[in-house]
């Protein structure tokens, strides 16, 4: 490699544009001509198109008359004959670069006992090697990689390399950088190396699951692997681990059901697990010293080690995660994976930036890294090889780990075409795999019409969105702690809640094409729990009244059109002691409190009854806007404290011909007149719920206090 003194710098910023930066300390920044060529080769004059004084340096924008072969070394000479190397610059963010180097084949490692093949995409590298490390002896070997078309580098190494550690070492702009394979499926402790494993040893068949006729059949329960079992009284042996999710018949205080058995007992259809791909923020060698939600992604295709019984064993985390997923599915519970493709933990330390500097991330008009995510970097999903990586990763988790859904963190950062490709890829595997995410419109340098936001939901008809309109109408603003929604007693939100109950579809005044697109919730891992918000906003009310309000809010979630979403512990008034962002708070704040659960068994049974009720009749979970528009009618006039609606003539969808649902947000007794004088059977009142009639009424019902009432007319 030639040694160069960079008295001035040259960058390839487009396929035929070279930018030269000359400091004024070097000949006052004044250059007359530039020529370009390969070392010891013919030189070609550049045309200076623009000259700009930058204060301490002068910028020259030049047109290049010859095609540049990216991956080859070039030298740029000034009129004095002084040379500098041509560095790869902003050209990596051009459409021409994307087109020239898009590679649609397999990347990563292909292992057999006889040989292992390595493939890494590094089009801007001039040299590349794979570094092999024998973990027992730390013996190191470097294997040169051969450059193929499209910027792919490869090597095949004979022999059985199972268990060997590896990284890639690439040279870009005369700087050697070492990086873990972005496609690594196994990593060493704390993700320091990729590990060569035989995934065939870990595979099992996916157990049969109860079929879903529509995404609205799902009842999603969001949970964190560690939170769910780490409590000292969880009754789980493998506390905070993947295997903690596999233990059956565990008991907590007062013989309360915990863990897997509780999930089955509750009746939810899906668990959404906070990120379990390898993330930063926890030392896997001593995992209980720190806590993290997992939104610090490092290795996207390898499981997190802090949840494994032995983080130093690359197979342990793979096998134990697969066992957890398989066990949940055996008990009829689908598993959704929370994925964080919108950013990396630290851009400069990421494998993406080390292997292809400047390509994988968005930059603003001034060349600074974009920060729509708020964590220092935004993934440039609109670039072809970034989109391919996301789609390849999603496919990997669906095929290898049999996950049943994907929740996309900050999905609005990603582009519409990428999310379309994700949906199409999963449809080819299983069209019932759920895809939904956060459709917030964040300030990333991508045109609004290209963002996968809620405002563009019509372009992604089979992808769901967390519905903050629903959340804030029912609960009150997440970001204004004292703001109160309908469930907290504010009747001004009544009309908004009616729209939300109707699936937020356009025909009812909402933003979605159909109810499959709305994920209805009032609480999730982010921000204050519902209970903690009420402590601030409704602290003047006694505890019993606040419990009624939380049950009312959860009932609205479970009985509205769309996809219901519950935060783990919401059903027994989960509290994080007022902490709104507990991403790295200790277990004492984040853990599921099984003592608290044991104290609210009656309230949990109420939520179980609502879940049973939703499952029993498809009128609570229509899949089209036409059905909602045809069958759902609000009863008016009503007092402002009451929302009442009639699901009329719905006998083809379940065991009852007509259903009336009443939500009341005040303690004052009110009479609600029913649509006709026939006998109506009450299935749910303010303290009981289920599918068995509690009592019957005619003409009217008195709703006495805060709560939800469900009445049905028999066929």
């Amino acid at each position: 490699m030639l040694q160069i003194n960079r008295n001035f710098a040259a960058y390839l910023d487009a396929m035929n544009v070279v930018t030269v930066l000359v400091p004024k300390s070097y000949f006052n920044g004044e250059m007359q001509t530039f020529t370009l060529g390969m070392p010891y080769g013919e030189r070609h004059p550049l045309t200076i198109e623009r000259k700009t004084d930058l204060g301490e340096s002068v910028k020259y924008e030049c047109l290049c008359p010859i095609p540049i072969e990216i991956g080859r070394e070039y030298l740029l000479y000034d009129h004095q004959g002084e040379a500098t190397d041509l560095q790869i610059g902003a050209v990596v963010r051009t459409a021409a670069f994307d087109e020239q180097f898009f590679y649609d084949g397999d990347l990563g490692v292909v292992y057999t006992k006889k040989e292992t093949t390595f493939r890494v995409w590094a089009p801007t590298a001039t040299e590349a090697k794979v570094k092999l490390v024998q973990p027992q002896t730390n013996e190191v070997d470097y294997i040169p990689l051969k450059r193929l078309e499209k910027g792919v580098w490869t090597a095949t190494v004979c022999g059985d390399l199972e268990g060997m550690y590896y990284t890639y070492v690439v040279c870009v702009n005369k700087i050697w950088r070492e990086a873990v394979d972005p496609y690594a499926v196994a990593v060493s402790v704390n993700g320091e190396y990729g590990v060569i494993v035989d995934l065939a040893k870990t595979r099992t068949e996916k157990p049969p699951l109860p079929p879903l006729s529509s995404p609205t059949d799902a009842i999603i329960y969001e949970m964190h692997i560690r939170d769910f079992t780490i409590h000292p009284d969880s009754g789980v042996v493998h506390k905070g681990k993947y295997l903690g999710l596999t233990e059956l018949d565990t008991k907590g205080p007062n013989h309360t059901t915990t863990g897997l058995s509780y999930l089955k007992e509750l009746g939810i259809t899906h668990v959404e697990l906070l990120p379990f791909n390898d993330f930063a923020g926890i030392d896997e060698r001593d995992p209980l010293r720190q806590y993290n939600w997992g939104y610090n992604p490092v290795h996207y295709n390898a499981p997190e080690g802090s949840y494994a019984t032995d983080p130093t064993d690359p197979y342990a985390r793979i096998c134990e995660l697969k066992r957890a997923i398989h066990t949940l599915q055996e008990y009829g519970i689908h598993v959704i994976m929370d994925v964080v493709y919108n950013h990396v933990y630290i851009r400069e330390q990421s494998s993406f930036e080390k292997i292809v500097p400047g390509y994988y991330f968005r930059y603003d008009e001034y060349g600074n890294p974009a920060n729509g995510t708020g964590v220092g970097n935004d993934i440039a999903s609109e670039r072809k090889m970034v989109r391919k990586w996301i789609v390849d990763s999603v496919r990997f988790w669906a095929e290898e780990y049999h996950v049943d859904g994907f929740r996309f963190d900050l999905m609005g950062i990603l582009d519409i075409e990428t999310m379309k490709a994700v949906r199409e890829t999963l449809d080819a595997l299983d069209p019932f795999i759920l895809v939904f995410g956060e459709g917030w419109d964040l300030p990333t340098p991508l045109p609004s019409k290209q963002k996968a936001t809620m405002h563009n939901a019509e372009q992604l008809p089979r992808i769901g969105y967390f519905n903050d309109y629903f959340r804030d109408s029912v609960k009150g603003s997440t970001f204004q702690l004292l703001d109160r929604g309908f469930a907290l007693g504010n009747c001004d939100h009544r009309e908004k809640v009616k729209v939300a109950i109707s699936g937020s579809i356009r025909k009812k005044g909402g933003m979605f094409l159909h109810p499959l697109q709305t994920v209805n919730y009032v609480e999730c891992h982010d921000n204050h729990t519902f209970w903690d918000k009420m402590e601030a906003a409704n602290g003047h009310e006694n505890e019993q009244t606040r419990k009624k309000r939380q049950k009312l809010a959860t009932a609205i979630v479970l009985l509205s059109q769309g996809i219901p979403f519950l935060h783990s512990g919401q059903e027994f008034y989960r509290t994080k002691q007022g902490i709104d962002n507990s991403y790295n708070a200790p277990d004492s704040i984040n853990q599921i409190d099984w003592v608290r659960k044991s104290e609210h068994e009656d309230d949990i049974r109420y939520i179980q009854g609502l879940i049973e009720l939703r499952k029993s009749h498809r009128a609570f979970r229509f899949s089209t806007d036409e059905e909602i528009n045809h069958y759902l009618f609000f009863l008016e006039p009503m007092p402002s404290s009451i929302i009442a609606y009639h699901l009329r003539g719905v006998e083809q969808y379940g065991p009852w011909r007509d259903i009336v649902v009443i939500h009341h947000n005040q303690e004052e007794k009110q009479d609600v007149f029913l649509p006709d004088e026939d006998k109506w059977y009450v299935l749910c009142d303010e303290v009981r719920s289920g599918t068995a009639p509690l009592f019957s009424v005619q003409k009217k019902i008195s709703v006495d206090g805060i709560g939800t009432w469900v009445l049905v007319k028999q066929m």
Side-chain angles (χ1 to χ4, degrees):
M1 184 184 295
L2 288 172
Q3 296 298 314
I4 298 295
N5 293 320
R6 288 178 175 165
N7 292 319
F8 55 98
Y11 301 93
L12 186 66
D13 283 340
M15 288 298 190
N16 66 338
V17 176
V18 174
T19 300
V20 186
L21 296 177
V22 184
K24 288 186 177 177
S25 59
Y26 181 74
F27 293 104
N28 209 32
E30 293 297 326
M31 297 286 108
Q32 298 171 12
T33 60
F34 297 106
T35 56
L36 182 74
M38 290 184 181
Y40 313 113
E42 182 181 357
R43 301 181 191 179
H44 302 269
L46 302 183
T47 303
I48 299 175
E49 290 285 298
R50 189 176 294 104
K51 176 182 175 182
T52 307
D53 192 320
L54 300 180
E56 295 184 358
S57 63
V58 179
K59 179 172 78 171
Y60 296 86
E61 295 172 72
C62 309
L63 290 180
C64 180
I66 60 170
I68 299 295
E69 292 184 55
I70 292 175
R72 302 287 297 272
E73 290 190 77
Y74 291 83
L75 296 178
L76 184 138
Y77 302 85
D78 65 10
H79 66 282
Q80 304 285 340
E82 184 74 19
T84 191
D85 57 312
L86 179 62
Q87 300 181 61
I88 301 300
V91 66
V92 297
R93 299 190 285 278
T94 64
F97 181 91
D98 240 8
E99 194 64 38
Q100 181 173 334
F101 291 105
F102 175 66
Y103 171 72
D104 198 24
D106 293 333
L107 293 169
V109 167
V110 176
Y111 163 83
T112 68
K113 280 190 172 294
K114 292 183 179 179
E115 62 184 25
T116 298
T117 298
F118 301 86
R119 291 189 189 90
V120 61
W121 186 72
T124 59
T126 51
E127 292 183 70
K129 307 170 185 176
V130 61
K131 174 183 174 182
L132 296 176
V133 180
Q134 171 54 252
Q136 284 76 33
T137 63
N138 287 325
E139 182 181 346
V140 176
D141 195 11
Y142 290 91
I143 309 297
L145 295 169
K146 178 183 178 182
R147 187 182 177 110
L148 305 179
E149 292 183 352
K150 304 296 184 179
V152 174
W153 296 77
T154 188
T156 297
V157 180
C158 295
D160 188 352
L161 300 187
E162 184 181 6
M164 195 77 78
Y165 292 1
Y166 77 104
T167 58
Y168 293 121
V169 187
V170 298
C171 183
V172 179
N173 294 337
K174 296 193 176 297
I175 298 174
W176 286 94
R177 297 179 178 89
E178 183 175 352
V180 175
D181 183 359
Y183 278 73
V185 299
V187 292
S188 65
V189 67
N190 286 331
E192 294 167 353
Y193 294 96
V195 183
I196 300 166
V197 295
D198 183 1
L199 284 178
K201 290 181 175 181
T202 71
R203 291 185 182 129
T204 58
E205 290 295 317
K206 183 176 182 178
L209 280 158
L212 299 178
S213 62
S214 164
T216 54
D217 289 347
I219 301 170
I220 300 170
Y221 191 79
E222 181 196 49
M223 51 188 267
H224 184 274
I225 292 169
R226 176 162 159 174
D227 291 357
F228 198 63
T229 59
I230 197 70
H231 192 281
D233 295 321
S234 69
V236 171
V237 175
H238 297 97
K239 289 179 170 60
K241 304 297 183 184
Y242 296 121
L243 292 183
L245 301 181
T246 70
E247 298 177 33
L248 201 61
D249 298 326
T250 56
K251 298 292 182 180
N254 304 313
H255 299 285
T256 192
T257 306
T258 66
L260 174 62
S261 293
Y262 173 60
L263 291 175
K264 180 65 176 171
E265 191 178 273
L266 189 60
I268 50 91
T269 65
H270 292 64
V271 294
E272 178 206 303
L273 300 176
L274 265 65
F276 52 75
N277 62 284
D278 187 67
F279 58 81
I282 293 180
D283 182 353
E284 292 177 354
R285 292 183 174 91
D286 190 6
L288 293 183
R289 279 186 56 247
Q290 299 160 295
Y291 176 93
N292 205 279
W293 278 344
Y295 295 97
N296 298 334
V298 178
H299 303 303
Y300 287 81
N301 292 350
E304 165 63 17
S306 66
Y307 301 143
T309 56
D310 183 2
T312 66
D313 177 2
Y315 277 106
R317 62 181 78 191
I318 296 171
C319 294
E320 290 171 10
L321 172 57
K322 287 187 173 184
R323 184 175 163 192
I325 293 171
H326 188 273
T327 303
L328 286 162
Q329 291 170 337
E330 276 188 316
Y331 285 90
I333 299 170
H334 302 72
V335 178
I336 296 169
M337 179 181 186
D338 194 341
V339 289
V340 192
Y341 295 115
N342 60 84
H343 74 276
V344 299
Y345 177 47
I346 299 175
R347 177 181 60 86
E348 297 86 347
Q349 296 177 11
S350 72
S351 294
F352 298 126
E353 185 67 7
K354 290 178 178 179
I355 294 174
V356 193
Y359 177 78
Y360 283 88
F361 301 93
R362 291 197 189 120
Y363 291 77
D364 65 19
E365 58 184 317
Y366 305 106
N368 300 311
N371 189 26
T373 60
V375 294
N377 63 87
D378 300 349
I379 285 289
S381 62
E382 68 278 12
R383 296 193 190 121
K384 289 189 174 184
M385 289 303 289
V386 185
R387 179 177 298 148
K388 171 183 166 57
W389 156 66
I390 292 172
V391 171
D392 286 350
S393 179
V394 166
R395 182 193 294 113
F396 171 76
W397 286 104
E399 290 183 331
E400 188 64 39
Y401 286 83
H402 305 313
V403 298
D404 304 294
F406 294 88
R407 178 265 188 194
F408 278 75
D409 181 64
L410 299 187
M411 187 171 70
I413 285 287
L414 306 178
D415 69 291
I416 288 170
E417 293 306 312
T418 294
M419 293 311 302
K420 281 183 178 178
V422 165
R423 182 68 268 179
E424 290 167 3
T425 298
L426 294 175
D427 280 345
L429 300 175
D430 178 359
F432 291 104
I433 293 175
L434 296 182
V435 178
F436 60 97
E438 295 177 305
W440 325 133
D441 190 357
L442 300 170
T444 190
L446 185 69
S448 293
K449 64 182 180 181
Q450 294 180 27
K451 295 179 181 178
T453 61
M454 278 190 290
H455 299 296
N456 293 324
E458 63 181 8
Q459 298 188 57
L460 296 167
R462 296 195 53 247
I463 290 178
Y465 294 86
F466 280 94
N467 190 341
D468 57 346
Y469 180 95
F470 185 108
R471 177 196 69 198
D472 292 351
S473 301
V474 176
K475 178 176 70 172
S477 172
T478 284
F479 304 107
Q480 297 178 39
L481 191 56
L482 300 182
D483 185 59
R484 298 182 301 128
F486 181 82
L488 271 62
N490 184 353
C491 298
D492 292 342
H493 287 281
R494 182 175 182 270
E495 293 303 313
K496 292 181 180 179
V497 176
K498 288 166 63 177
V499 172
I501 286 170
S502 305
S504 299
I505 59 172
R506 291 181 178 179
K507 290 178 181 177
K508 297 289 187 178
M511 68 181 77
F512 297 123
L513 296 174
H514 45 65
L516 312 182
Q517 290 188 293
T518 176
V519 176
N520 299 330
Y521 74 114
V522 292
E523 176 183 324
C524 68
H525 68 276
D526 277 322
N527 311 114
H528 291 93
T529 66
F530 194 96
W531 185 258
D532 289 346
K533 179 179 173 68
M534 277 198 299
E535 288 275 5
N538 287 58
H540 59 284
E541 296 180 329
N542 62 43
E543 183 174 288
Q544 196 58 38
T545 300
R546 282 182 276 132
K547 287 179 180 178
K548 289 181 181 180
R549 294 200 179 283
Q550 184 147 341
K551 286 165 65 178
L552 169 62
T554 303
I556 296 174
V557 169
L558 288 169
L559 299 180
S560 293
Q561 301 297 327
I563 303 170
F565 176 102
L566 303 177
H567 182 218
S568 54
Q570 174 181 335
E571 67 277 19
F572 49 88
Y573 316 111
R574 184 174 183 174
T575 175
K576 295 186 181 180
Q577 312 305 322
I579 295 176
D580 67 325
N581 187 11
S582 64
Y583 77 98
N584 64 353
D587 290 318
S588 59
I589 298 297
N590 283 295
Q591 65 191 356
I592 293 297
D593 186 348
W594 295 105
V595 175
R596 191 174 180 89
K597 188 262 183 182
S598 73
E599 295 167 348
H600 295 98
E601 299 285 5
D602 287 344
D603 297 319
I604 292 167
R605 277 191 286 275
Y606 183 82
I607 304 305
Q608 287 173 319
L610 291 174
I611 290 172
E612 180 188 9
L613 188 59
R614 181 181 180 88
K615 287 179 170 181
S616 68
H617 206 295
R618 275 204 58 232
F620 292 115
R621 42 194 171 88
F622 288 134
S623 57
T624 68
D625 60 331
E626 291 84 3
E627 289 171 310
I628 294 170
N629 207 44
H630 184 73
Y631 294 109
L632 192 154
F633 302 91
F634 287 93
L635 302 179
E636 297 292 2
M638 287 286 163
S640 62
S641 62
I642 287 178
I643 297 174
Y645 58 96
H646 185 190
L647 295 163
R648 190 171 65 195
V650 291
E651 62 270 16
Q652 69 268 43
Y653 296 109
W656 309 297
R657 187 176 71 206
D658 289 84
I659 304 170
V660 167
V661 178
I662 302 166
H663 300 300
H664 185 213
N665 75 353
Q666 299 295 335
E667 289 286 25
E668 292 82 5
K669 181 178 178 180
Q670 296 281 359
D671 288 337
V672 176
F673 289 90
L674 300 171
D676 55 49
E677 296 186 5
D678 292 346
K679 184 179 288 187
W680 290 84
Y681 293 90
V682 179
L683 304 183
C684 172
D685 61 16
E686 73 275 30
V687 294
R688 298 165 294 177
S689 67
T691 55
L694 302 173
F695 56 91
S696 64
V697 296
Q698 285 182 281
K699 295 185 181 180
K700 70 176 183 178
I701 183 170
S702 295
V703 294
D704 191 4
I706 298 165
T708 294
W709 285 256
V710 179
L711 303 89
V712 300
K713 191 187 295 183
Q714 304 286 17
M715 286 190 278

